[in-house]
């Protein structure tokens, strides 16, 4: 029989478990500390718990449900895990190192149902939502890759899947990550990236979660966005921007708009000019991401000159712009690529 996954509803499960054994409250706190701060890999390592309790924990719960199928490290310190889930299915998660910053990028679904044409994650559609425990498991597994003196500082929900299509599982996990007796990462250091689902953006605003929101725009007009981000035909730009403004009013957080720069598709100077017009007057950052090519897809990265022209127009138009450094290229760190290359190797090998 399969044991329940402790990382799903930690508090509810531990409260019940502790009550059944009439344990004092501090025992639950100790276990939580081991999970979040202690980076414990197994119950047996929770050394300030009586041996018997450690054994009982191991008989009552599983801590990890996934297996690390691949672990790759790039020269710049980026590490990426390909996880095989219980019952099959694979997801990816990444640890990025940048000066003192330690950022984890996590997935929320197996595959993705949004179908953005350039993205590896959505090529085969979505299989299922991850559970809260599976989302948290990525964070705790990656955290265990840090050296003892390294501190986790940021979380970005930018891995495989559409986070706002799985809010029910994502929010309890982010709450554990943000809590003082969890990982203590402040809400403004947690970013949720979405294709732009207006209803869910509004819901997030009303829940007053105050996470940073990044919206994957990729085109400055509906006609082009319909081509690149097919769900746009059901949820056009105007609706998304209204919802984004609503989020900004509620949260006070500067919005981020992501723009994957695709050669000869959305990288022309007039696209940059349209983007300036579209976003004018908003407290927003435009995060331009030069495309990371995906094997088998017909999209390319614009030349450095084209990127520079695009950037200059945005900046001259008064937008705050950041070009995302390409980290971990060699290990396929863009979302969905490791899983894809792994399955391609399996097919070809
Ligand atoms: N579904 C969410 C989050 C996942 S992807 C979203 O759409 O935002 C996180 C970001 O990486 C998105 O902006 C996505 O468009 C971008 N991305 C996906 N594949 C990429 C690639 N091959 N090169 C560069 N950026 C990519």
């Amino acid at each position: 029989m399969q044991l329940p996954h402790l990382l799903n509803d930690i508090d509810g499960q531990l409260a019940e478990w502790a009550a059944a054994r009439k344990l004092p409250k501090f025992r639950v706190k100790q276990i939580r500390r081991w999970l979040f701060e202690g980076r414990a890999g197994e119950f047996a390592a929770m050394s300030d718990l009586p041996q018997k309790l450690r054994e009982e924990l191991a008989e009552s719960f599983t801590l990890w449900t996934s297996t690390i199928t691949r672990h790759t490290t790039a020269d710049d310190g980026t590490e990426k895990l390909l996880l095989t889930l219980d019952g099959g299915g694979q997801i990816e998660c990444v640890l990025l190192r940048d000066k003192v910053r330690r950022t984890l990028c996590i997935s929320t679904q197996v595959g993705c149902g949004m179908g953005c044409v350039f993205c590896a994650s959505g090529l085969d559609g979505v299989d299922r939502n991850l559970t809260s425990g599976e989302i948290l498991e990525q964070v705790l597994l990656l955290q265990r890759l840090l050296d003892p003196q390294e501190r986790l500082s940021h979380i970005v929900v930018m891995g495989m899947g559409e986070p706002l299509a799985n809010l029910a599982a994502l929010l309890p996990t982010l709450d554990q990550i943000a809590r003082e007796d969890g990982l203590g990462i402040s809400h403004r250091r947690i970013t949720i990236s979405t294709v732009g689902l207006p209803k869910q953006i509004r819901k997030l605003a009303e829940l007053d979660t105050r996470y940073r929101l990044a919206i994957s725009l990729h085109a400055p007009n509906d006609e082009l966005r319909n081509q690149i981000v097919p769900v746009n035909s059901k949820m056009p730009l105007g609706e998304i921007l209204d919802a984004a403004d609503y989020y900004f009013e509620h949260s006070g957080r500067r919005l981020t708009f992501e723009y994957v720069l695709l050669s000869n598709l959305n990288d022309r100077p007039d696209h940059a000019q349209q983007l300036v017009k579209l976003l004018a007057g908003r407290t927003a950052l435009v995060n331009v991401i030069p495309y990371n090519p995906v094997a088998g897809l017909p999209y390319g990265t614009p030349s450095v000159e084209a990127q520079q022209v695009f950037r200059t127009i945005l900046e001259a138009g008064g937008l705050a712009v950041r070009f995302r450094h390409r980290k971990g290229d060699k290990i396929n760190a863009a979302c969905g690529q490791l899983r894809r290359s792994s399955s391609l190797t399996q097919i070809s090998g």
Side-chain angles (χ1 to χ4, degrees):
M1 192 193 74
Q2 208 149 24
L3 297 173
H5 190 197
L6 181 58
L7 301 182
N8 273 321
D9 183 20
I10 298 174
D11 298 310
Q13 296 196 93
L14 279 184
E16 201 177 305
W17 184 83
R21 289 164 180 75
K22 299 197 171 52
L23 298 176
K25 283 219 168 67
F26 75 89
R27 290 292 180 210
V28 169
K29 282 194 188 150
Q30 277 178 311
I31 298 167
R32 285 189 62 92
R33 245 197 327 266
W34 275 112
L35 292 177
F36 291 105
E37 279 174 51
R39 305 178 187 179
E42 51 183 6
F43 295 114
M46 301 185 169
S47 55
D48 56 3
L49 291 179
Q51 181 70 26
K52 183 163 167 289
L53 278 189
R54 288 185 246 168
E55 284 164 13
E56 284 183 30
L57 274 171
E59 285 158 13
S60 309
F61 302 107
T62 40
L63 195 47
W64 313 114
T65 56
S66 64
T67 5
I68 299 176
T69 298
R70 266 171 85 179
H71 176 184
T72 42
T73 306
D75 295 344
D76 63 10
T78 304
E79 294 189 56
K80 183 155 186 167
L81 299 180
L82 177 69
L83 302 179
T84 302
L85 303 171
D86 190 25
Q90 294 188 321
I91 54 162
E92 309 171 14
C93 53
V94 188
L95 159 66
L96 298 133
R97 293 182 162 94
D98 187 13
K99 300 193 187 94
V100 296
R101 247 180 209 236
R102 295 293 175 270
T103 303
L104 305 185
C105 176
I106 54 174
S107 296
T108 51
Q109 297 182 311
V110 183
C112 184
M114 299 299 118
C116 301
V117 294
F118 58 84
C119 176
S121 294
L123 286 174
D124 304 316
V126 62
D127 289 341
R128 69 169 173 91
N129 281 336
L130 297 184
T131 63
S132 288
E134 286 167 332
I135 301 173
L136 186 57
E137 181 160 334
Q138 298 169 59
V139 173
L140 298 184
L141 284 174
L142 288 167
Q143 188 202 24
R144 287 162 48 76
L145 302 178
L146 296 172
D147 289 337
Q149 76 281 5
E150 287 183 298
R151 280 274 156 268
L152 189 58
S153 59
H154 294 76
I155 302 280
V156 296
V157 190
M158 290 189 183
M160 195 180 279
E162 170 47 47
L164 297 197
N166 188 15
L167 270 182
L170 177 63
L171 290 180
T173 292
L174 293 185
D175 189 48
Q176 291 287 353
I177 292 169
R179 270 166 57 174
E180 269 313 315
D181 64 346
L183 290 173
I185 297 180
S186 102
H187 289 220
R188 70 194 154 75
R189 292 175 175 221
I190 298 177
T191 303
I192 302 176
S193 174
T194 175
V195 73
L197 307 179
K199 233 202 256 158
Q200 282 84 340
I201 293 175
R202 286 174 185 273
K203 182 171 171 202
L204 209 53
E206 279 151 19
L207 289 171
D208 200 24
T209 51
R210 306 184 123 231
Y211 298 116
R212 275 188 201 281
L213 190 65
I215 295 178
S216 293
L217 215 52
H218 311 328
N221 61 62
D222 280 319
E223 197 189 343
L224 184 58
R225 198 165 188 270
N226 288 345
Q227 274 177 48
I228 301 176
V229 182
V231 295
N232 190 71
S233 51
K234 279 179 263 152
M235 291 163 284
L237 276 174
E239 275 181 37
I240 296 172
L241 290 176
D242 281 351
D245 292 341
Y246 185 77
Y247 190 82
F248 173 71
E249 283 157 25
H250 273 70
S251 67
R253 297 265 187 250
R254 176 169 80 162
L255 297 165
T256 299
F257 291 99
E258 294 161 285
Y259 196 103
V260 171
L261 215 49
L262 300 152
S263 177
N264 296 320
L265 191 56
N266 64 358
D267 65 337
R268 288 201 317 257
D270 66 303
H271 294 136
Q273 277 145 8
Q274 289 176 40
L275 194 58
V276 167
K277 275 211 196 105
L278 188 73
L279 298 180
R282 290 191 166 81
T283 306
L285 173 76
V286 183
N287 193 353
V288 182
I289 315 164
Y291 183 55
N292 208 340
V294 174
L297 292 184
Y299 304 100
T301 318
S303 66
V304 175
E305 294 74 41
Q307 292 181 28
Q308 196 51 47
V309 171
F310 201 86
R311 176 181 204 144
T312 308
I313 296 171
L314 298 187
E315 285 173 347
L319 297 181
V321 182
R322 187 171 61 203
F323 267 61
R324 194 185 289 171
H325 319 289
R326 297 178 50 169
K327 287 196 148 280
D329 278 21
K330 294 203 189 73
I331 56 168
N332 288 319
C335 81
Q337 293 197 47
L338 189 63
R339 178 179 80 143
R340 183 127 191 100
S341 69
S342 167
S343 64
L344 289 176
T345 324
Q346 279 161 19
I347 290 165
S348 62

